[in-house]
Amino acid sequence: MATTVGEAGLPPAPAGLQLPGLVLGVGLGGFVDGILLHQLLQWHHMLSSTNSDRIGVKYYDPHTVSGLQMNTVWDGIFHAVCWIAVLLGLAVLYSRVTHNRRAVWASRKLWGWILAGWGLFNLVEGILDHQILGIHHVHGGPHQVWWDMGFLALGALLLAGGWLLQRGAPAFDPGPGSESGSGDARRTGRGA
C-alpha cells in the first residue's frame, strides 16, 4: 500500500482528528492553567501583574477585595473562553466521527493532538500574556522570568510530545469507511 507524501516529505496529517484534538487541547490546557494556577495555587489571576504590564491596563491588586473581585471576573471570562473551546472541539469531533466512536477516544492520534493543543495553549498564552502584554506571570516575584520560561518549556514539550504521539500512531479515519479492513487497529481501537 503506497503512502502519499506531503511537500515537506511528511505524510499529510489526518484532518479527521487534528482540528478537534487541537481545539480540545487548547480548551483543556486553559482549564488546567485556570484551575491549578489561578484557583488552587493562587499564583496569578488574569490581571494580577498589570501594575507592570506593557499595555496600560489599570492595576487591580489581587490582595484587596475589589482587586480580587475584578481579577475573578477576568478569570471567569478566561474560563468561559476555555469552555467554548472544549464545546467547539467536541462538536467538531462529533461531526467528523460517524462510526467507531469508542475507538476514537482510545486513539493515540486524538490524544496526541489534544496534548499538542495544550502545548499550543501554553506557548501562545505564555508569549502573549506573560511576555508581550505582561498582564500576569506564572508566579510573580523575583524569579518570575524562570517560572515563565518553565511554562514555555512545558508548552514546547507538550506540543512536541503530542505531535510525536499522534505521528507514531496508525492512521485513523473516523469517517464512514473506517470500519472496513480486516483485523486492523481501527476496528479494535488499539493504537488507533
Side-chain angles (χ1 to χ4, degrees):
M1 174 180 198
T3 304
T4 58
V5 178
E7 288 180 27
L10 301 172
L17 298 179
Q18 183 178 13
L19 178 63
L22 287 171
V23 174
L24 279 167
V26 166
L28 293 170
F31 274 134
V32 169
D33 176 272
I35 292 167
L36 182 64
L37 300 179
H38 296 219
Q39 294 173 332
L40 295 177
L41 295 174
Q42 297 178 20
W43 282 0
H44 71 258
H45 299 282
M46 284 306 296
L47 304 177
S48 59
S49 293
T50 54
N51 60 332
S52 62
D53 70 343
R54 294 176 184 82
I55 57 172
V57 174
K58 181 181 175 190
Y59 179 54
Y60 299 100
D61 185 351
H63 300 97
T64 65
V65 173
S66 62
L68 185 57
Q69 286 174 330
M70 184 56 77
N71 272 286
T72 302
V73 166
W74 281 97
D75 286 349
I77 292 168
F78 171 72
H79 280 114
V81 170
C82 295
W83 182 68
I84 289 168
V86 169
L87 288 179
L88 181 61
L90 288 172
V92 173
L93 181 64
Y94 185 80
S95 73
R96 291 187 177 185
V97 177
T98 57
H99 291 78
N100 211 7
R101 287 189 174 114
R102 183 174 295 163
V104 171
W105 289 105
S107 169
R108 285 181 17 215
K109 286 281 184 201
L110 178 63
W111 289 103
W113 285 121
I114 288 173
L115 282 178
W118 183 358
L120 187 63
F121 164 81
N122 276 25
L123 290 172
V124 170
E125 203 261 344
I127 291 170
L128 185 64
D129 289 345
H130 304 169
Q131 305 303 317
I132 295 173
L133 300 177
I135 60 174
H136 68 258
H137 299 279
V138 174
H139 192 44
H143 304 294
Q144 71 188 22
V145 69
W146 296 109
W147 287 101
D148 289 349
M149 292 300 117
F151 189 80
L152 290 172
L154 175 62
L157 287 173
L158 287 168
L159 181 62
W163 185 79
L164 289 171
L165 180 65
Q166 69 78 30
R167 184 173 181 253
F172 189 91
D173 179 11
S178 67
E179 292 183 332
S180 63
S182 57
D184 64 3
R186 289 176 288 182
R187 201 187 298 169
T188 63
R190 288 177 286 131

